[in-house]
Amino acid sequence: MPAELVILGAGGWAREVCTWMCESWSLPPKVVFAVDPEYASPPIQCCGREYQVISDWNFKESVREFIPGVGYPDVKRKLIKKAREWELVPFKPIIHPKAHCAPDVNMALGCVIGPGAIIGSGVHLGRCVTIGPGCIIGHDVVIEESSTCMPGSIISGNCWIKSGVCIGAGAVLREKVVVGHGSVIGAQAGVICDCIDDGVYVGVPALSIGIR
């Protein structure tokens, strides 16, 4: 456990990540929450403790690592860029004790795996990927940096999720689907075909409704 860790964000996802750390470690985590100045907020109550929210990014010298606490990839990337400007580096993956990861999963720094998630054999997760509670990631799936799988989404085997993708809650992807950079898959969507970069897809079967 680090001396002190920065959680990027201060909303619901950030509080969830803090809670998962409380449930994963024997001692409560020493964290601060970091947000952009326009989103300054009072201290956050989490795990029975009060945590500081910093909007000026003026951290103590001992603070050197961060973990994403934002679900939406665009906002996540914005905060990661700011963290790097302050010479912060991603922390090791946080895996909830009630998640299951196959022994050969390749997981980069900054990943967060929520409770009840199942990560299959041969999966590769890029930097700062967020896997929400109850997600199922099938064998040999590749999920590139800063993408997010919202709670309950299912990605079948051999899919390729490119960077900055948001998979909505309860969405299901058929095997071998490729989802382009920056795409958004709506909640409960059923994806059976490849998705273009920056596309927005909803429905069953999922159809494009435009470009972001």
Side-chain angles (χ1 to χ4, degrees):
M1 187 166 64
E4 194 159 26
L5 183 67
V6 176
I7 296 179
L8 303 181
W13 266 111
R15 295 194 304 274
E16 290 277 12
V17 170
C18 184
T19 299
W20 299 344
M21 287 192 289
C22 290
E23 294 170 349
S24 301
W25 298 339
S26 57
L27 297 174
K30 294 181 179 179
V31 302
V32 293
F33 294 80
V35 297
D36 278 342
E38 62 264 35
Y39 299 112
S41 70
I44 286 176
Q45 297 288 335
C46 187
C47 306
R49 300 184 64 186
E50 183 174 275
Y51 292 99
Q52 185 181 8
V53 179
I54 294 178
S55 58
D56 61 6
W57 291 68
N58 186 16
F59 304 112
K60 295 186 296 187
E61 289 186 4
S62 60
V63 178
R64 293 267 55 92
E65 296 173 301
F66 72 84
I67 200 76
V70 177
Y72 197 65
D74 286 354
V75 180
K76 187 194 299 188
R77 281 176 152 174
K78 180 181 178 181
L79 290 175
I80 289 171
K81 180 180 178 182
K82 193 171 184 69
R84 288 174 174 161
E85 290 171 356
W86 283 82
E87 299 183 348
L88 301 179
V89 297
F91 185 57
K92 66 181 182 181
I94 293 175
I95 304 171
H96 193 278
K98 292 185 178 179
H100 172 77
C101 296
D104 60 347
V105 171
N106 186 333
M107 197 178 304
L109 297 175
C111 289
V112 180
I113 312 299
I118 300 174
I119 315 294
S121 176
V123 169
H124 176 88
L125 303 180
R127 280 197 170 197
C128 300
V129 166
T130 303
I131 305 296
C135 291
I136 300 175
I137 312 299
H139 65 86
D140 301 303
V141 166
V142 175
I143 304 180
E144 295 184 358
E145 59 93 12
S146 298
S147 291
T148 294
C149 297
M150 295 295 183
S153 53
I154 300 174
I155 302 178
S156 301
N158 292 297
C159 286
W160 180 11
I161 312 302
K162 296 189 179 181
S163 62
V165 169
C166 185
I167 306 293
V172 178
L173 278 64
R174 193 175 73 176
E175 67 275 5
K176 300 182 180 180
V177 162
V178 177
V179 179
H181 299 283
S183 287
V184 175
I185 308 299
Q188 302 290 329
V191 181
I192 61 173
C193 298
D194 293 350
C195 302
I196 64 171
D197 293 354
D198 296 314
V200 180
Y201 294 83
V202 299
V204 181
L207 298 175
S208 172
I209 61 170
I211 302 294
R212 298 202 301 123

